[in-house]
Amino acid sequence: MSGKFSFTFNIGGKGASVPTAAPASAAAAAPALKPADLFPTRIWQAHLDALEPHRERWVEAVLAMRAAHPEPAGRTVRHGWNSEDMSVLEHAEFGPLREAIRAGCSAALDEMGQGERAFYLQSWINLHDRGGFNFLHMHEGSLLSGSFYLQVPPGAGEFVFRDPRPGVIHGYVKGGVPNGHADVHLRPSDGLLVLFPCWMEHYVEPHEGDEPRITIAFNANPVEHEAPGKR
């Protein structure tokens, strides 16, 4: 069983601090240990406050999409709806959001050493009714993945990252500590943008509200690859 580590969008950019060791006894002084964090996994977050005036109109547009094509695409969504359309951000009404997401992806890819890489956005709607969730999955074959939280009502299920180190589950230490095993729970809010590596396994906990939880999910894909139709 894994530990649980939760954070909101304002986790900060410096990374978690390493707990200091307990004072050593006089009989056995601790050596001067120098920590080194191997294989760090970076995600990015931003609250797109400048786009707040558009959100209500975008929610209405998503609900209209569902009304026009009520059958869910399936994939990893259960008890809700997701779009067959995998180019949602190319719709004219989402232009300001598309440009903000592209700018965010470009900045993150630059940190990943892929700043010159041309990419396109593959994007779709995930909507959860009461009891809705996404089961564990990843978005293989992309440069970067992400979600924009269009509507996060009370009771919305949390977004959960699965620890990407396959061997750590066999360890004794659990929780958000050095060398511990933990699923990391993100508590989102309206207007939050989250970017993460495509290979990071993740899922969404069941939604407990009556108003739908709505996200626009996306992949930044290299232009030389065909879009991996998924999720």
Side-chain angles (χ1 to χ4, degrees):
M1 180 179 179
S2 70
K4 179 178 178 180
F5 177 48
S6 299
F7 63 93
T8 56
F9 76 92
N10 57 349
I11 185 173
K14 296 295 186 181
S17 61
V18 178
T20 56
S25 67
L33 299 176
K34 296 182 178 180
D37 296 327
L38 304 181
F39 311 116
T41 302
R42 179 171 296 182
I43 71 167
W44 296 263
Q45 301 174 85
H47 233 280
L48 304 185
D49 296 329
L51 300 183
E52 176 61 26
H54 299 280
R55 261 200 330 105
E56 184 176 349
R57 176 168 56 87
W58 289 339
V59 169
E60 292 174 356
V62 168
L63 297 178
M65 289 180 198
R66 184 185 194 181
H69 303 281
E71 187 68 23
R75 301 190 292 268
T76 67
V77 171
R78 296 295 180 270
H79 304 296
W81 180 82
N82 54 347
S83 64
E84 287 279 2
D85 185 353
M86 301 292 280
S87 301
V88 167
L89 287 172
E90 300 307 313
H91 295 201
E93 63 263 39
F94 292 112
L97 179 58
R98 179 178 64 250
E99 295 310 309
I101 289 175
R102 284 196 63 89
C105 288
S106 293
L109 289 170
D110 188 57
E111 291 184 29
M112 294 168 60
Q114 300 292 316
E116 301 302 315
R117 176 83 66 172
F119 67 90
Y120 67 94
L121 292 175
Q122 175 191 34
S123 54
W124 61 100
I125 303 296
N126 283 338
L127 183 152
H128 298 128
D129 297 318
R130 176 176 282 276
F133 63 94
N134 283 71
F135 60 74
L136 185 69
H137 65 286
M138 67 176 71
H139 300 186
E140 69 277 3
S142 300
L143 291 167
L144 196 64
S145 296
S147 292
F148 175 72
Y149 290 87
L150 189 55
Q151 180 168 276
V152 186
E158 294 187 350
F159 186 89
V160 185
F161 292 109
R162 174 60 51 85
D163 193 322
R165 301 166 298 170
V168 74
I169 193 171
H170 302 295
Y172 181 83
V173 179
K174 311 299 180 186
V177 296
N179 298 333
H181 176 242
D183 285 349
V184 180
H185 290 237
L186 169 64
R187 186 174 298 111
S189 56
D190 293 340
L192 174 65
L193 174 67
V194 179
L195 307 176
F196 54 92
C198 72
W199 44 259
M200 176 73 79
E201 288 188 310
H202 57 282
Y203 61 95
V204 178
E205 294 183 325
H207 178 45
E208 297 178 353
D210 291 323
E211 192 176 10
R213 176 191 192 276
I214 304 174
T215 63
I216 298 179
F218 56 89
N219 292 321
N221 293 329
V223 294
E224 63 267 26
H225 292 173
E226 293 184 359
K230 317 255 194 254
R231 290 136 323 250

